[in-house]
Structures are given as structure tokens and as C-alpha cells.
Amino acid sequence: MTVGEALAIAATAVREAAPRLVWVRGEIVGLTRSRAGHLYWTLTDAGARLAVCAIGRDAQRIVVSLNRAQVSLAEGMTVRVGGALDVYRPRGQLQLRASAVDPSVTVGEALLARRHVRARIGDKVDRQKTLRPGPCPLRVAVVAPAGRGSEDFCAILAASPWAWQLQVLEVPSEGTAAPAAIAAAIGRVGGCDLVVVARGGGDAVTAAYDTYEVAAAVCACPAPVVVAVGHHADASVADACAWASRATPTAAGELCVGLLERADAALTAAGSAVADAARARLARADAEVDQLEAAVTAGASTVAGRVALARWRRAARVAAAAALLLALAVVALLVVVASR
Amino acid sequence: MSASVSYSAAVAELGAIRDRLSRADPDEVEALTRRAAQLIADTRAALRRAGDAVNVLQALTCGSAESS
């Protein structure tokens, strides 16, 4: 008997002994994704390991169903996997050819983990809410994976006229290294008015933003943090800890642009208030001159009256010139604004 | 000095100019309004960028960054 024949017997025995669809629950270890989109991992529980593969459309179907449930596969996650047991002859290994992952188990685990982290964060969850960004938060640090997370955010900023000064820190958003890298990047930013932690592409929230490491880094950040890590119904712990939370990097960009627009509008309002006060003062001076002139022409012929009239006429000429200059200044401002 | 600090200083000075105008001599009005116009123009110029490109001061890769 050849090795292949021996394994064929084992494969037949496995297929006959096991139902066509078995559900196996365990923890994910060694999750990898091939360039062709196949998924491979090992399911473990107390002292046992089972190789799992999801090939082609099965892999796509699993990813889509998990995205609908707003989770994605991650290291250490407990999942319930449905598939067929088989023997993979090139390795002589029993494996589960996965065709489904039960999202209810995964979501339950994620919620449990989130609750645990929230409890560990405690009162620090509100620390960011006490912060206020300056009126012109032009110095912005972006902590995001390469690709759409930072690109969508930067595109919104680039479309605005403001003089942004960006620090871009690229981090992984998935995998075991992601939480430490994201937390380190948040801790590393300095001299900025606002920190934006972003993740784009509309994917489901990954576990990284629900970890204590990332949430604690958000809480400890001296600058206000905006978290924008995807479209989701249940906010991550990082979202809850942040100064502000937005569904997408684009929305985070719009938040930043809005702060500058508000500052610009306040500047315009302050300028208008000055112009109003100047007009009011000149109108009052005009009225005083009119009153005095009327009094003098009505019969006041004293030397003092004439001197006062001459003085107020000079003031009136100054007021008229000032009004003209004021109008010119307002026009010049409008020209400056319109030219930009 | 950050843009927020100089902006706040400018807005505070504009407020002071507005208050001063209510009791200023008519011949002071011109100088005060000129100063206000200059403040607004300078502050706006500091908030707006000169070119098309956003200024990226620093770009770092932390950990093994991967696209999402």
C-alpha cells in the first residue's frame, strides 16, 4: 500500500464517519490569507488543534457574512466554523474545509471582550471629553493604515483652502501587531492640535480598536482624538474614549474642515462688529455736528459758538474721510477673500 | 506660536478695537479700522495655504503597516 492509498482509506473513513457538515468551535491561531483570497487558520481548544481552510467562494462567503455582522476574523477570536472534515493528502493532515462561520458566536465574543475593556478603562473613558481643540486646529496627526483610511481623510483636507500641517503615521489595522502599533503611534504624535485615528474601506470593525492598548492610548493622548474606523452600528471602545467619533475618515476630514470654517466665520463676524462700531461712532459724530450747526445758525453768534462750530466741522470732515477709508477697507477685504 | 494662539490674540484685539470705537474721537476711527482690517487680513493669510498641496510635515510607518 502506498502512502496515498493509506491516506485515501483515512479520507474515506473520515467522510463516512462524519456528517457532511460539522460545526467546530475553537480559537483562531495562525490566520493567513493567500493572494488568491483563500483563508487558512488553525482552530484550537484545550490541547487539540485542527487545520481549517476556506477556499475560493467559500472564503468570500465567510468574509461577506462576517462583514454583515460587523466583525472580521482575527487572531485569538473564538469562532464556530461549519464545514466538511477531510484529509489533506499532501500533508497527511486532517482538516476542516470551511464553508461558513457562525457570526453569532463571534459577535458574542467581541461584545464580551469590549465590555471587559470598557470596565478596565473605567473613568478614563471621559477624559478626552474634557479637552477642547484650539480654534484653528491646523496641526493634525493621522494614525491610519496605508490606503483609503488616510487618503480619504487627506483628500477632504486637500479640497479645503486651509493651511494644514499633517503628520501621517501608517499603522497596521489588522493582525496581532496592530494594537501595539496603533497605541505606539498615538503616543508618539507631538505638537499637534488634533489626532485622527482612521481606517477606511467600509470594512467591519476589527478587534484592534476594541483593545485596552488602543483605548488607553486614546484616553492618555494630550490632544483631542477623533476616531473614524469604519461604518458600524456598535462603536468600538476607542470610539467611546475619543473626543469625537465619526463613521468614516471622510466624515473626520469634514469635522476638521468645519472647525476651520467656524474660526473663519468668527473672524468675519469680529470684523463686521468693528465696522458696525465704526459706522455707529461716525453717525453719532455727524449727528452732533448737525445739532451744533443748527444751534449756531439759529442765533448763537458768540465767538465761542463760532469756534465750536469750526471745530466740529473739522471733525465732520475727518469723519467723512474715515467713513470713506472704512468703506475702502471693507472693499479691500472682500477683494482679498474673493481672490482666494 | 500655533495658529490657534495668534488667532485668539487677533480676535481679542478686534474685540478691544470694537469697544474702543464706541468712545473714540472721530479722527481715531480711521486708524482703528485700518488696524482691524490689517489684523483680519493677516490672520486669514495665516490660516490659508499658499499652494495647492497640503503640507505633510512627517510621514512615518509604525509597525508592519498593511492596507485595509
Side-chain angles (χ1 to χ4, degrees):
Chain A
M1 184 183 293
T2 64
V3 173
E5 288 166 344
L7 288 170
I9 291 170
T12 303
V14 167
R15 280 197 293 271
E16 286 175 358
R20 289 178 72 181
L21 176 66
V22 295
W23 288 94
V24 183
R25 183 179 172 135
E27 189 177 311
I28 293 176
V29 175
L31 175 67
T32 58
R33 184 192 308 247
S34 75
R35 290 191 174 187
H38 310 319
L39 297 169
Y40 303 94
W41 69 91
T42 300
L43 276 182
T44 68
D45 61 13
R49 299 168 69 85
L50 175 64
V52 181
C53 66
I55 306 298
R57 286 184 180 174
D58 285 335
Q60 289 172 11
R61 200 164 40 240
I62 288 169
V63 169
V64 167
S65 71
L66 289 177
N67 276 349
R68 273 200 211 107
Q70 298 167 358
V71 290
S72 59
L73 295 175
E75 287 288 316
M77 179 184 282
T78 299
V79 289
R80 189 164 161 260
V81 183
L85 286 170
D86 197 4
V87 172
Y88 183 53
R89 293 186 200 185
R91 288 190 181 170
Q93 183 183 42
L94 180 68
Q95 70 172 9
L96 180 64
R97 286 182 64 101
S99 55
V101 172
D102 179 2
S104 64
V105 172
T106 308
V107 169
E109 293 287 337
L111 279 176
L112 204 63
R114 188 178 295 166
R115 230 173 271 153
H116 180 70
V117 171
R118 278 293 296 270
R120 198 172 159 201
I121 288 290
D123 292 343
K124 283 184 288 185
V125 74
D126 293 326
R127 191 192 159 275
Q128 278 271 319
K129 309 293 187 297
T130 64
L131 302 179
R132 291 285 173 269
C136 311
L138 289 170
R139 300 173 305 180
V140 180
V142 190
V143 178
R148 283 192 54 194
S150 56
E151 285 171 7
D152 289 356
F153 176 78
C154 292
I156 295 295
L157 267 52
S160 74
W162 314 114
W164 305 106
Q165 296 172 21
L166 295 184
Q167 291 178 57
V168 181
L169 295 96
E170 286 184 5
V171 292
S173 64
E174 297 174 359
T176 50
I182 295 167
I186 294 170
R188 187 172 185 167
V189 296
C192 59
D193 303 312
L194 212 56
V195 177
V196 175
V197 178
R199 178 174 184 273
D203 293 342
V205 172
T206 61
Y209 302 95
D210 276 324
T211 59
Y212 178 79
E213 277 171 293
V214 172
V218 169
C219 293
C221 185
V225 177
V226 180
V227 170
V229 293
H231 314 261
H232 50 94
D234 298 321
S236 69
V237 182
D239 279 288
C241 294
W243 171 73
S245 165
R246 292 293 182 272
T248 61
T250 299
E254 288 164 352
L255 169 69
C256 295
V257 171
L259 291 171
L260 263 295
E261 285 174 348
R262 195 188 304 169
D264 191 55
L267 195 62
T268 301
S272 296
V274 168
D276 289 346
R279 272 191 289 270
R281 179 67 191 97
L282 294 174
R284 216 168 67 231
D286 263 354
E288 287 166 0
V289 170
D290 287 346
Q291 280 177 359
L292 194 57
E293 190 172 24
V296 170
T297 53
S301 58
T302 62
V303 174
R306 288 198 195 100
V307 169
L309 180 60
R311 183 157 55 84
W312 280 106
R313 278 196 174 132
R314 275 201 305 277
R317 281 198 297 276
V318 169
L324 179 64
L325 283 166
L326 176 64
L328 287 173
V330 170
V331 169
L333 272 179
L334 290 173
V335 168
V336 168
V337 172
S339 66
R340 289 174 187 266
Chain B
M1 186 162 57
S2 79
S4 289
V5 172
S6 50
Y7 171 92
S8 298
V11 169
E13 190 174 345
L14 285 169
I17 289 173
R18 183 201 59 208
D19 295 344
R20 177 75 191 275
L21 277 168
S22 63
R23 57 182 186 284
D25 285 341
D27 52 4
E28 273 187 288
V29 173
E30 179 202 337
L32 290 169
T33 51
R34 269 184 188 280
R35 172 64 185 153
Q38 191 61 51
L39 268 175
I40 293 170
D42 290 349
T43 308
R44 251 194 193 122
L47 297 184
R48 287 168 182 262
R49 67 173 180 267
D52 288 337
V54 172
N55 184 14
V56 178
L57 296 178
Q58 191 180 39
L60 293 173
T61 300
C62 309
S64 55
E66 55 195 60
S67 180
S68 72

